[in-house]
Amino acid sequence: MHQVLNKNISPLKNFDIKKIREDFPILSRMVNGKPLVYLDNAATSQKPQVVIDVLQNYYQNENSNVHRGVHFLSDRATNLYEEAREKIQKFLNAKSTKEIIYVRGTTEGINLVANSFVKPRLNEGDNIIVSLMEHHANVVPWQLVCDEKKAKIKIIPINKKGELLVDSLHGLIDEKTKFISVVHISNSLGTINPINEAIEIAHKNNIPILIDGAQSVCHGSVDVQKLDCDFFVFSGHKICGPTGIGALYGKEKWLEEMPPYQGGGDMILQVTFEKTIYNDLPYKFEAGTPNISGAIGLGTALDYVQSIGYENLHTQENLLLKYATEKLSKIDKVQIIGTADNKASIVSFVMADIHAHDVGTILDQEGVAVRAGHHCTQPVMDYFGVPGTARASFSFYNTLEEVDILEDAVKKGIKIFLG
Ligand code: C6P
């Protein structure tokens, strides 16, 4: 058990939490007559004023369609949209902007890879490997293609701490394995997975691998070249950006081979009724008018998060994780689900037999926003034998005082339900 932390001593020298919180206007609002304590960051993060401003400015002063017009505004919108792609490329350290495809989010990115990359390579009797702790977005797209191709899914198991048993990949892989897809950080357990090992094992067996980075980019830097993953996908709204925008990274050699995912405007070079010639990368995968403001907002969000500094972000989030784990685990009747040695700032818990939704409702009365339920990871809930959990997920803008409020609200809930 850790020592209780001294809240008054911050290990961070260049991190003014008060100033950072002022960047997020929503954090000063009231909910149910109480100051908002927003601990649902794994569902979606809050947006700093700079992102809100850039969205407003775009619609007020720069709105136009991209890659289509010769006029001033279209040129301006195109430049901003493509500058944002460059920011994403640098953020992930991809080799080229050709490898960055705008998507609606993680879900669409995985569906794109399932349909354009894996499906054409899949034959009857083949298999795809995912882990037991995947979000449904990294399960159902594979089930859909496997059903169509009469292939099957194999599962990497986890242990009771919620850790991935990555070595079992050796036994799962066979000559029929066509693809592996693994989550970087579990949204319901907080486990940080040893994806380096998973990628190494996959490549030793010549199997391409996708990393679901929905929960990881907001907690630490990612270098896709160092990782050497074949695909990496994330959602902008979980890293201070707008909803409806995210990015799929894919190695250029794979993206070149893949057929388009959707047909429409902008993804073509030439269309006749006899034959269509597709556009170059990355546009081949971006049919129709895209989420232009979303992309520009995401670029600004990435600038903002990087300006905080990953070291600061890590220190603050680890502090919150340690403090919340310590506080909650001391409360009788509370059980933390997901106790991996390597964890991000996500704490899932159950309170005796109280339904997770009831826990969520009680906390809400105290102004505390957590997610309650299965978190789109029903196989994880089945494994731990619970219908759902309450999940407190912390961002760098959360405070230790907010953990105290969570603790008090949990204790109050226990009194109300269990007397
Ligand atoms: N998890 C949560 O509350 P989208 O919805 O496409 O932006 O992201 C899907 C997704 C995929 N993988 C992981 C690991 C995720 O956590 C999520 C989204 C949210 O945990 C909403 S269900």
Side-chain angles (χ1 to χ4, degrees):
M1 182 66 60
H2 304 295
Q3 287 291 302
V4 171
L5 296 161
N6 184 341
K7 283 184 294 171
N8 300 319
I9 302 172
S10 170
L12 293 163
K13 296 286 170 267
N14 305 313
F15 185 81
D16 184 343
I17 186 76
K18 193 166 166 286
K19 257 181 91 193
I20 282 175
R21 287 179 67 83
E22 282 168 5
D23 291 340
F24 294 81
I26 207 168
L27 295 181
S28 56
R29 71 159 289 168
M30 305 290 279
V31 166
N32 293 324
K34 308 270 169 61
L36 168 69
V37 174
Y38 187 76
L39 305 181
D40 196 15
N41 295 288
T44 197
S45 64
Q46 294 302 347
K47 318 305 169 201
Q49 190 65 49
V50 277
V51 170
I52 300 168
D53 286 348
V54 94
L55 293 176
Q56 179 174 350
N57 181 56
Y58 173 75
Y59 283 116
Q60 206 161 300
N61 297 308
E62 312 189 289
N63 176 50
S64 188
N65 212 328
V66 290
H67 305 145
R68 285 157 172 85
V70 289
H71 59 80
F72 174 85
L73 281 182
S74 177
D75 194 41
R76 173 90 182 126
T78 303
N79 287 340
L80 292 170
Y81 179 75
E82 291 304 330
E83 273 168 22
R85 195 191 306 271
E86 272 171 43
K87 289 180 186 180
I88 299 169
Q89 177 224 330
K90 292 198 172 92
F91 176 71
L92 294 178
N93 194 29
K95 268 191 202 141
S96 135
T97 49
K98 288 182 185 174
E99 297 180 320
I100 303 298
I101 315 292
Y102 283 124
V103 285
R104 277 192 296 128
T106 306
T107 305
E108 189 176 51
I110 295 172
N111 276 279
L112 192 160
V113 175
N115 282 282
S116 281
F117 183 76
V118 177
K119 197 158 91 177
R121 291 170 160 73
L122 209 58
N123 296 308
E124 189 170 342
D126 286 345
N127 64 73
I128 292 166
I129 301 177
V130 301
S131 86
L132 189 137
M133 68 170 87
E134 299 308 322
H135 185 280
H136 298 164
N138 202 18
V139 175
V140 184
W142 307 117
Q143 286 175 328
L144 288 168
V145 294
C146 283
D147 280 355
E148 200 178 317
K149 292 297 193 107
K150 296 194 173 61
K152 61 178 183 184
I153 293 179
K154 290 188 176 184
I155 314 294
I156 312 170
I158 64 174
N159 65 19
K160 284 290 172 195
K161 287 165 94 176
E163 291 167 325
L164 188 76
L165 300 177
V166 71
D167 282 343
S168 57
L169 255 181
H170 291 293
L172 288 169
I173 291 171
D174 61 24
E175 71 286 355
K176 297 274 187 189
T177 304
K178 289 289 160 70
F179 200 71
I180 299 173
S181 192
V182 177
V183 69
H184 194 173
I185 295 183
S186 155
N187 66 316
S188 52
L189 300 169
T191 313
I192 303 173
N193 283 324
I195 53 162
N196 281 307
E197 277 173 74
I199 294 165
E200 206 183 308
I201 298 170
H203 287 170
K204 269 195 183 138
N205 290 278
N206 290 321
I207 300 165
I209 181 165
L210 178 147
I211 303 299
D212 171 353
Q215 297 292 345
S216 63
V217 287
C218 54
H219 294 298
S221 63
V222 166
D223 183 330
V224 290
Q225 289 191 65
K226 245 194 206 149
L227 281 174
D228 194 33
C229 53
D230 298 276
F231 299 95
F232 184 96
V233 63
F234 74 93
S235 306
H237 69 96
K238 294 191 199 284
I239 182 163
C240 299
T243 51
I245 189 76
L248 165 69
Y249 157 81
K251 282 184 179 166
E252 191 178 336
K253 64 168 181 179
W254 295 134
L255 294 173
E256 285 291 2
E257 280 181 21
M258 288 158 63
Y261 177 46
Q262 293 179 328
D266 220 25
M267 50 74 70
I268 53 86
L269 286 177
Q270 197 191 8
V271 177
T272 64
F273 281 109
E274 287 70 43
K275 188 174 166 59
T276 290
I277 301 169
Y278 305 132
N279 206 341
D280 298 327
L281 289 175
Y283 313 111
K284 181 172 84 172
F285 293 104
E286 294 177 1
T289 299
N291 183 352
I292 305 162
S293 62
I296 297 167
L298 174 55
T300 304
L302 297 183
D303 286 344
Y304 176 81
V305 172
Q306 288 171 109
S307 76
I308 303 283
Y310 273 123
E311 214 180 308
N312 285 335
L313 186 144
H314 266 299
T315 311
Q316 178 71 2
E317 290 184 356
N318 285 339
L319 206 63
L320 290 159
L321 172 68
K322 197 171 161 191
Y323 191 58
T325 305
E326 206 165 274
K327 289 271 177 179
L328 290 176
S329 55
K330 278 193 181 138
I331 305 175
D332 194 26
K333 306 271 192 284
V334 168
Q335 189 200 343
I336 293 176
I337 305 286
T339 50
D341 289 344
N342 198 9
K343 263 189 85 168
S345 50
I346 293 175
V347 184
S348 258
F349 58 97
V350 289
M351 277 164 50
D353 288 334
I354 308 170
H355 195 283
H357 287 163
D358 291 332
V359 178
T361 306
I362 290 288
L363 298 188
D364 184 51
Q365 292 307 307
E366 301 303 310
V368 180
V370 296
R371 186 167 170 193
H374 53 63
H375 317 297
C376 303
T377 56
Q378 280 182 322
V380 174
M381 300 299 130
D382 290 346
Y383 175 77
F384 284 98
V386 294
T389 69
R391 181 190 68 184
S393 49
F394 303 93
S395 182
F396 57 85
Y397 46 66
N398 288 123
T399 66
L400 297 180
E401 285 73 20
E402 289 182 310
V403 177
D404 291 338
I405 298 171
L406 168 70
E407 180 196 16
D408 290 345
V410 167
K411 284 181 174 165
K412 198 167 173 183
I414 288 178
K415 244 197 199 131
I416 292 170
F417 281 100
L418 304 174

